[in-house]
Amino acid sequence: MPHLVMLYTPQLDAEADFPRLCRRLADAMLSVRDEQGAQVFPTGGTRVLAYPAAHYAVADGSGDYGFIYFNVRMAKGRSAAVHKVVGETLAAAVREELAPLLAKRPVGLTLQVDEGHEVFDAKLGNLHPLFAKKT
């Protein structure tokens, strides 16, 4: 954790560079610092995933409207100030990266930041140790 998942209308694949957007958002997440200047999200735990919706309906159906839903889910324990910085940092990256797309067509964008209440959380992979600080 944290995970940022994008769900989008598939006609946008031809007009937006989703691999680039994923990398841009991951880099933005890794740039966020807390009140003490510490990196908020662990490098090995940061994931950004994008999925085209197999089926969708947007607005009244009278146009070829696009939509992208961005959901960031993070573990509990961060301050309200950090939540706000995360949201603002990601919103700025989305606005900048998608400005050319928004200039060409109508696209709805929703970005939400959620804090999890895990009832079970197992991390079973071997990715985190690659980024552990060596002492």
Side-chain angles (χ1 to χ4, degrees), residues 67-83:
F67 181 74
I68 307 173
Y69 173 63
F70 302 84
N71 180 253
V72 181
R73 185 157 169 85
M74 68 178 84
K76 290 178 75 170
R78 295 173 178 94
S79 70
V82 167
H83 295 159

Side-chain angles (χ1 to χ4, degrees), residues 32 129 131:
V32 176
F131 301 98

Side-chain angles (χ1 to χ4, degrees), residues 14-95:
E15 301 174 59
D17 186 343
F18 281 95
R20 178 178 150 148
L21 179 59
C22 288
R23 182 72 262 157
R24 174 78 184 268
L25 294 173
D27 291 343
M29 292 169 74
L30 294 172
S31 76
V32 176
R33 300 292 185 262
D34 66 14
E35 297 88 343
Q36 290 74 42
Q39 184 174 324
V40 169
F41 299 125
T43 302
T46 299
R47 286 121 168 101
V48 177
L49 309 166
Y51 300 95
H55 309 282
Y56 65 93
V58 178
D60 62 4
S62 66
D64 182 26
Y65 305 124
F67 181 74
I68 307 173
Y69 173 63
F70 302 84
N71 180 253
V72 181
R73 185 157 169 85
M74 68 178 84
K76 290 178 75 170
R78 295 173 178 94
S79 70
V82 167
H83 295 159
K84 184 177 179 185
V85 170
V86 168
E88 290 173 347
T89 299
L90 291 171
V94 165
R95 277 190 207 96

